[in-house]
Amino acid sequence: MDFNQIITQTLTQAIGVSAVIYCLAAVGLNVHFGYTGLLNFGQAAFLAVAAYGLAVSVSRMGLSLWVGILVGIVAAILLALLLGVPTLRLRADYLAIVTIAAAEIIRLIVRSVTFREYFGGSDGITRFADEFYALNPFSGPIDLGIIKFSQNDAWVVTVGWVLIAFTSFVVWSLMRSPWGRVLKGIREDEDAVRSLGKNVYAYKMQALILGGVIGALGGFMAAIAFQSVQPDTYSTEFTFFVYTMLILGGAARIFGPILGAAIFWALLVFVGEFLNEAVNKGVITFLTNTQVGQIRFMLVGLGLMALMIFRPQGILGDRKELALDAR
Amino acid sequence: MWGVAVAPASATATGPVIFGTITTPEDEPVEGVTIDVAGPDGFTGSATTDAEGAWEVQVPSSGTYTIKLDESTLPEGLGLAAGSERTVTAFGGKVRVQFPTGDSVLEQSSKIDQVIQLTVDGLLLGLILALGAVGLSLIYGTTGLTNFAHGELVTLGALTTYFYSAILGLPLVLAAAAGLVTCGALGAVQDRVLWKQLRRRGTGLIAMLVVSIGLGIFLRYLFLFLFGGGTQQFPEFSGQAGLEIGPVSITPKAIIGALLAVAAILGTIYWLLRTRMGKASRAVADNPALASASGIDVERVINVVWILGATLAALAGVLTGLTSGVSWNMGQQILLLIFAAVTLGGLGTAFGALFGALIVGLLIQLSTLIIPPELKSVGALVILIAILLVRPQGLLGRRERIG
């Protein structure tokens, strides 16, 4: 068994491209779920409209990448308004169902044959981010011994972590402002906040937009990192994984989503690499490599259940702060 | 999906070949039909079927191609059963594209006949959704749990029936009965082992919702692990010819399935309105503390509701399996429609769920009159959101429930 390879892969993935994408999605979701108590189960949709906004602008309309990013952000804001208007006045579980439905609507539309000429059907759109890689300051692959990145990945990961640091800082400063205190108040007791004369609906809407736009940044990173957008990446399962990370790290904590995404990916990759290596070397004979992938996701499901039952505040969270039952 | 089968790939240097054969429903070859192929980089090609009905187009490279059959070149009285356009992705080798034919009379059937056929299809779908929705709604009503693992109960029903029939070799009717009993029992076990303990710990409703998501992920991948990624048919009744009743074409198994679904729903309604336990369940849904104070064993009622909900969901799984096969994520695929039905009818009301399910089923099928069939679920979900805008408590829900 090649433990060196397993450890290198695990550490690289813990801060790698996928961790960056999920982490941005989780930072955004933290604003919704952690701070405001909004049950947004359509976070994948925010990433999807951003990624597709970028890809369609560049490859179908011939616009520059930077205009594409602007288009993606506008699309995410519009989506937040569209989701928020019918549901933010309703009880939490209505928002959950409507956001899931909206995410599925978007996925089904972009993967349909009917709109193939715009969105590329189930194959999606590829090769539109050359402008981003033209700015790459790295001249070759990065090898720090235990962490290895290709030239392009190194650039994506660097930009990604700068974005994570920036958005986390923004969230941190907003949440210690009066505005942030109102959000937390809404999470704890909506009626109390309303009785103080605050417009709860407007605050919820602003939170939905802020978290959605942060999620959209994750969508850009996903589109750029793989130079491709594919509809089935943005399934409901994606959102569920983001929830798992957020709860693992600790909701309503600045470092919660970051720690959660890193640990989630480290564990997922470690279990996968370890079992695969064991299967390949004949140490484990009763599994195939495909089944290893399925076992990993069974563990994700069990992990999410166990966390929620035994430690709903996650690693960093404070049980007193997080009243998950604001309904 | 079934129209496209990828032949074993043989490596050719010249690029893939797209081919097929046009025959009448009686297997007579059709000569002189024109097929146009369009692909990436502006590629176009066309072919005409020969005396054996065969056609073939050599394409320059791997990629996605659109194949269109020119319907005006079909002989008089012959139409296409599944549309005149196909999209395939060719990766070297040969790709077979099929255009099943049928009587053009059916294809050109009048708008009214189409509406009648789609209404029947919509009611059939609505009944299946209702089985899932009523169970989900009963569980929500008595425990407050928004169960995102309800779709897995649907899958479980189909999988256990498949296990009893295809692997143990029981006749399908017995296998389905055994599957329903197994699922009902597992529903009770699930409640006892998991949800009852969480209620005792005082776990919040949102936390339980997230637990159900985790359970759903776990069960889905467990099913994939045990069952594999393919779609399987039950060994009996898989290919059944449709009966023509007036303008409507319907398979006998669909009729029997619909009758079973109606019987199950009527049984549930009788249970809710007339039996002691059913009345108790409504009392629990209304006010658990008061119900408990008046001597109702709340935990026992909830357990019975779980058995009922799991059995109804399992029946939905068996009926879906009969018409469209058994797969590891079939429940997940209809879960959103079940949620749409429940929300439309009003969360927590069993009659609302039934009503909502029939409307969702009809909407999905009838919407294909104006939008492409691949987007029919989109139409239903958009209408779900639109209705929430106007009447957030659902069609039969009470105002206080929306909070």
Side-chain angles (χ1 to χ4, degrees):
Chain A
M1 306 251 307
D2 184 355
F3 281 102
N4 211 4
Q5 162 76 12
I6 295 175
I7 290 169
T8 308
Q9 270 297 322
T10 304
L11 290 177
T12 305
Q13 288 299 319
I15 60 164
V17 172
S18 305
V20 163
I21 296 163
Y22 277 89
C23 187
L24 282 167
V27 172
L29 189 65
N30 199 18
V31 175
H32 298 153
F33 174 71
Y35 290 109
T36 324
L38 298 175
L39 270 186
N40 169 22
F41 278 112
Q43 187 68 347
F46 286 102
L47 280 88
V49 293
Y52 270 90
L54 172 65
V56 170
S57 312
V58 174
S59 76
R60 297 293 194 265
M61 305 200 278
L63 299 171
S64 138
L65 183 82
W66 315 109
V67 181
I69 285 180
L70 215 62
V71 171
I73 288 179
V74 170
I77 294 173
L78 285 179
L79 177 67
L81 292 172
L82 213 64
L83 288 180
V85 168
T87 52
L88 286 182
R89 291 179 202 278
L90 304 179
R91 213 176 47 198
D93 34 10
Y94 278 93
L95 182 70
I97 292 166
V98 169
T99 45
I100 283 197
E104 272 301 281
I105 290 173
I106 286 169
R107 189 177 69 85
L108 289 173
I109 287 180
V110 293
R111 88 190 299 283
S112 69
V113 178
T114 317
F115 297 108
R116 193 184 185 87
E117 54 174 312
Y118 307 110
F119 303 120
S122 56
D123 300 331
I125 304 171
T126 52
R127 292 210 65 82
F128 44 77
D130 293 338
E131 270 179 89
F132 178 83
Y133 292 106
L135 298 177
N136 191 348
F138 295 101
S139 51
I142 300 291
D143 188 350
L144 300 176
I146 47 167
I147 293 174
K148 289 180 186 144
F149 285 115
S150 72
Q151 187 185 350
N152 281 350
D153 280 359
W155 179 221
V156 170
V157 168
T158 310
V159 173
W161 280 99
V162 169
L163 284 176
I164 292 168
F166 172 72
T167 50
S168 296
F169 177 75
V170 169
V171 172
W172 176 75
S173 29
L174 280 175
M175 289 311 153
R176 55 202 291 276
S177 73
W179 185 80
R181 275 195 292 280
V182 174
L183 287 194
K184 289 190 210 170
I186 292 173
R187 182 190 67 198
E188 302 299 330
D189 190 340
E190 222 181 289
D191 291 330
V193 175
R194 202 173 277 130
S195 74
L196 294 173
K198 302 287 183 196
N199 184 350
V200 168
Y201 180 64
Y203 276 93
K204 280 183 177 177
M205 185 64 96
Q206 289 155 9
L208 192 64
I209 292 174
L210 176 67
V213 169
I214 296 175
L217 298 179
F220 297 136
M221 293 316 292
I224 287 170
F226 303 110
Q227 283 262 39
S228 112
V229 286
Q230 275 180 319
D232 295 336
T233 328
Y234 305 101
S235 61
T236 310
E237 210 118 293
F238 176 94
T239 307
F240 291 166
F241 289 168
V242 177
Y243 264 91
T244 311
M245 288 168 208
L246 182 58
I247 293 166
L248 172 66
R253 279 284 182 270
I254 291 298
F255 287 104
I258 302 173
L259 191 69
I263 293 181
F264 181 92
W265 275 101
L267 283 177
L268 199 65
V269 172
F270 178 76
V271 171
E273 290 277 329
F274 182 81
L275 288 178
N276 271 328
E277 182 75 7
V279 170
N280 292 340
K281 293 279 154 62
V283 182
I284 295 177
T285 47
F286 53 88
L287 289 174
T288 64
N289 290 104
T290 329
Q291 287 176 320
V292 167
Q294 296 155 4
I295 286 184
R296 287 199 308 176
F297 289 115
M298 286 198 259
L299 291 177
V300 172
L302 281 180
L304 180 58
M305 287 169 72
L307 263 176
M308 213 56 226
I309 295 170
F310 298 112
R311 202 176 160 81
Q313 72 272 41
I315 296 170
L316 296 176
D318 174 358
R319 198 163 197 166
K320 283 198 198 92
E321 177 167 14
L322 195 64
L324 269 167
D325 268 328
R327 38 177 316 212
Chain B
M1 278 287 246
W2 52 85
V4 182
V6 180
S10 59
T12 47
T14 46
V17 173
I18 299 174
F19 73 107
T21 310
I22 310 290
T23 56
T24 63
E26 293 80 32
D27 267 340
E28 303 282 334
V30 185
E31 195 183 348
V33 181
T34 308
I35 281 120
D36 296 311
V37 177
D41 306 323
F43 170 82
T44 55
S46 102
T48 309
T49 55
D50 59 16
E52 274 80 52
W55 60 274
E56 185 175 302
V57 178
Q58 169 92 49
V59 295
S61 63
S62 297
T64 304
Y65 292 87
T66 310
I67 296 99
K68 213 169 151 57
L69 188 149
D70 186 353
E71 281 177 277
S72 61
T73 57
L74 283 172
E76 196 85 355
L78 194 68
L80 292 172
S84 68
E85 208 172 294
R86 296 280 184 283
T87 307
V88 298
T89 307
F91 291 109
K94 299 184 111 188
V95 182
R96 179 196 291 278
V97 175
Q98 288 172 343
F99 289 101
T101 53
D103 298 329
S104 58
V105 188
L106 207 92
E107 185 70 11
Q108 294 160 358
S109 61
S110 70
K111 213 60 177 181
I112 293 173
D113 288 354
Q114 270 185 46
V115 170
I116 294 172
Q117 173 76 48
L118 288 174
T119 306
V120 170
D121 292 346
L123 286 174
L124 293 176
L125 176 62
L127 284 171
I128 288 179
L129 292 180
L131 292 172
V134 169
L136 185 70
S137 201
L138 282 173
I139 291 171
Y140 179 87
T142 44
T143 66
L145 168 69
T146 312
N147 185 14
F148 275 88
H150 203 74
E152 276 53 56
L153 293 173
V154 174
T155 316
L156 188 67
L159 288 188
T160 46
T161 305
Y162 181 82
F163 172 78
Y164 288 124
S165 65
I167 294 170
L168 296 188
L170 290 178
L172 189 60
V173 177
L174 282 181
L180 295 189
V181 171
T182 312
C183 286
L186 287 176
V189 170
Q190 192 190 124
D191 180 50
R192 283 275 161 78
V193 173
L194 182 61
W195 303 112
K196 186 177 174 183
Q197 309 305 324
L198 292 187
R199 285 194 297 274
R200 189 174 285 164
R201 288 168 66 103
T203 308
L205 293 178
I206 301 295
M208 287 213 273
L209 185 159
V210 179
V211 171
S212 80
I213 288 176
L215 180 67
I217 295 175
F218 169 72
L219 288 176
R220 241 176 352 261
Y221 284 97
L222 180 67
F223 294 154
L224 178 61
F225 184 83
L226 297 172
F227 186 72
T231 300
Q232 309 288 338
Q233 301 293 335
F234 291 130
E236 294 166 61
F237 312 118
S238 57
Q240 208 173 39
L243 298 174
E244 305 292 331
I245 304 167
V248 178
S249 165
I250 185 170
T251 53
K253 64 182 178 185
I255 298 177
I256 292 170
L259 291 176
L260 279 175
V262 169
I265 291 166
L266 288 179
T268 307
I269 290 175
Y270 178 82
W271 181 81
L272 274 174
L273 295 183
R274 289 277 178 270
T275 65
R276 267 185 88 76
M277 189 52 106
K279 285 177 188 168
S281 84
R282 288 189 293 145
V284 172
D286 225 34
N287 187 335
L290 186 61
S292 183
S294 41
I296 294 172
D297 184 349
V298 173
E299 281 303 327
R300 195 164 148 255
V301 170
I302 290 176
N303 207 249
V304 171
V305 164
W306 262 96
I307 295 174
L308 182 66
T311 313
L312 290 175
L315 182 58
V318 174
L319 298 183
T320 315
L322 265 180
T323 46
S324 34
V326 183
S327 68
W328 63 282
N329 61 353
M330 55 192 287
Q332 188 194 14
Q333 286 166 356
I334 67 166
L335 181 68
L336 206 52
L337 300 178
I338 292 177
F339 268 118
V342 172
T343 316
L344 194 56
L347 278 180
T349 63
F351 297 108
L354 169 62
F355 193 54
L358 291 177
I359 293 181
V360 168
L362 284 173
L363 272 179
I364 289 177
Q365 294 298 346
L366 287 172
S367 67
T368 58
L369 285 171
I370 33 179
I371 59 175
E374 58 169 353
L375 293 178
K376 60 187 179 184
S377 300
V378 172
L381 295 175
V382 168
I383 287 168
L384 162 73
I385 296 177
I387 286 183
L388 280 180
L389 262 174
V390 193
R391 201 178 154 78
Q393 69 271 42
L395 296 172
L396 298 185
R398 276 174 295 167
R399 192 77 202 167
E400 79 222 40
R401 287 183 191 273
I402 59 174

